[in-house]
């Protein structure tokens, strides 16, 4: 029973991690797009947020 619980925990932890990484990649892609194509005001906001 303990092994089954551990396996379930590992799967749920992995799922959360994949979901989090997917969201993070989307945010990074959107930020990079603004830096590449956005106006100076948007670019400066992102640069300020990174610091």
């Amino acid at each position: 029973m303990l092994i089954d619980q551990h396996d379930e925990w590992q799967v749920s932890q992995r799922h959360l991690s994949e979901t989090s990484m997917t969201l993070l990649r989307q945010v990074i892609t959107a930020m990079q797009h603004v830096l590449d194509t956005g106006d100076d005001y948007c670019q400066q906001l992102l640069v300020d947020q990174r610091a």
Side-chain angles (χ1 to χ4, degrees):
M1 183 165 161
L2 185 59
I3 292 172
D4 289 338
Q5 288 177 341
H6 180 70
D7 289 345
E8 289 176 14
W9 179 82
Q10 283 183 321
V11 168
S12 69
Q13 292 301 310
R14 193 174 328 120
H15 176 71
L16 290 173
S17 179
E18 289 175 14
T19 301
S20 297
M21 290 304 296
T22 298
L23 291 172
L24 181 58
R25 285 185 193 105
Q26 290 172 348
V27 169
I28 290 170
T29 300
M31 289 177 67
Q32 189 61 53
H33 178 74
V34 169
L35 288 172
D36 292 343
T37 63
D39 60 34
D40 291 337
Y41 177 74
C42 290
Q43 290 175 355
Q44 190 58 47
L45 283 176
L46 287 176
V47 169
D48 291 346
Q49 293 285 330
R50 290 171 147 176

